[in-house]
Amino acid sequence: MRTPMIAGNWKMNKTPAQTKALIEDLKKMQNRCGAELVVCPMTVSLAAASEALKGSNIHLGAQNVHFADNGAYTGECNADSLKELGVEYVIIGHSERRQYFGETDVTVNQRSLKALEAGLKPIICVGESLEQKQQGITKEIVCMQTKVALLNVGAQIENVVIAYEPVWAIGTGLTASPEEANATIAAIRGAIREVFGAAADRVRILYGGSMNAKNAHDLMAQPEIDGGLIGGAALAAEKFDGVVNFN
Ligand code: PEP
């Protein structure tokens, strides 16, 4: 009942010209497993991406959005501009934003509410640090992050995607085992159910953290895992192909 999603987070990579070239390669790729595909280039490459994606089934995502409509927020980007460029999804609260740019659960909530108000679908990232994992508090941490991020979301919950990304697995080559990721995602869904009831079963929850062609099949076979948020393996068409065609 939940359409799988494979989303590429290109982070601070790919100039507009490189974005266009990668999208031309991705458009030639088969999509045998039928997941919804999303690419999330840098803000400055979104216009080139939007143009290159015309007529394709690949959706466009941004990597952040501000919570104000306009104003004195140098370096930020508002939701209306993203909409105007044809952006549908926006990653919010990635651990790199939390680590390097002071993003908190509260600002993740504010950005998510603004995205939803503008008709953008947030991909909200949650995940525990290595220290929190070692303390055995993974589920508590991710459930709290999820609940705060979703404060006042109401009926718009159906337009939210959650990405469970253990911080220790991002860009490290380490992954949560499929069973471990499944259990944590089940806990996140339980937290959503506590607030939003049965709608929780319609919310897609992705796994992210060194997902690649080798581990995608086993991760995607888990019942609670609805797709992947892919960093490193999204930057070359042949690598992304191995994730997209995970079966
Ligand atoms: C990410 O940045 O969201 C991510 C999952 O990165 P990687 O796949 O490189 O671990």
Side-chain angles (χ1 to χ4, degrees):
M1 82 203 256
R2 298 185 294 264
T3 307
M5 170 187 282
I6 305 287
N9 172 15
W10 294 2
K11 311 194 186 194
M12 199 174 72
N13 296 291
K14 308 290 177 190
T15 66
Q18 290 166 340
T19 293
K20 186 174 179 307
L22 178 51
I23 287 174
E24 292 309 328
D25 287 344
L26 294 178
K27 288 200 297 195
K28 292 179 209 138
M29 184 180 70
Q30 286 191 13
N31 180 5
R32 289 193 302 274
C33 303
E36 182 179 3
L37 305 184
V38 183
V39 292
C40 305
M42 281 192 284
T43 308
V44 75
S45 296
L46 286 170
S50 184
E51 187 60 32
L53 286 171
K54 276 194 183 133
S56 88
N57 286 328
I58 304 174
H59 301 252
L60 184 58
Q63 297 178 15
N64 197 13
V65 65
H66 199 263
F67 41 77
D69 291 324
N70 301 285
Y73 299 101
T74 303
E76 288 282 336
C77 179
N78 67 6
D80 285 350
S81 302
L82 297 179
K83 280 292 288 181
E84 204 171 297
L85 288 176
V87 171
E88 285 179 58
Y89 290 95
V90 55
I91 298 171
I92 298 180
H94 190 279
S95 71
E96 288 148 17
R97 299 287 320 164
R98 295 175 189 257
Q99 185 180 352
Y100 304 126
F101 301 102
E103 199 76 70
T104 65
D105 293 338
V106 172
T107 58
V108 169
N109 175 241
Q110 291 171 327
R111 291 181 199 270
S112 300
L113 291 175
K114 179 54 69 180
L116 289 165
E117 183 191 314
L120 295 164
K121 296 175 219 165
I123 301 174
I124 300 173
C125 301
V126 298
E128 82 286 5
S129 67
L130 182 58
E131 197 183 6
Q132 290 163 340
K133 176 182 163 61
Q134 286 165 344
Q135 286 175 326
I137 56 171
T138 294
K139 288 182 183 163
E140 286 86 345
I141 292 291
V142 297
C143 289
M144 186 199 64
Q145 290 174 335
T146 303
K147 283 184 176 176
V148 178
L150 296 178
L151 272 172
N152 300 319
V153 160
Q156 287 265 46
I157 187 67
E158 314 250 348
N159 294 318
V160 170
V161 178
I162 304 286
Y164 165 54
E165 300 208 299
V167 178
W168 49 270
I170 297 176
T172 58
L174 302 171
T175 34
S177 72
E179 296 73 20
E180 200 176 19
N182 191 65
T184 306
I185 288 177
I188 293 171
R189 197 178 305 287
I192 299 173
R193 193 174 292 114
E194 280 176 34
V195 183
F196 299 94
D201 292 322
R202 297 189 288 279
V203 176
R204 287 179 289 184
I205 310 182
L206 317 181
Y207 169 79
S210 300
M211 193 163 164
N212 56 39
K214 286 204 183 98
N215 56 34
H217 175 270
D218 290 349
L219 286 161
M220 292 300 291
Q222 295 292 325
E224 291 288 345
I225 301 182
D226 301 321
L229 182 56
I230 318 298
L235 292 174
E238 55 294 355
K239 287 191 185 166
F240 199 53
D241 186 318
V243 180
V244 167
N245 295 298
F246 53 86
N247 260 338

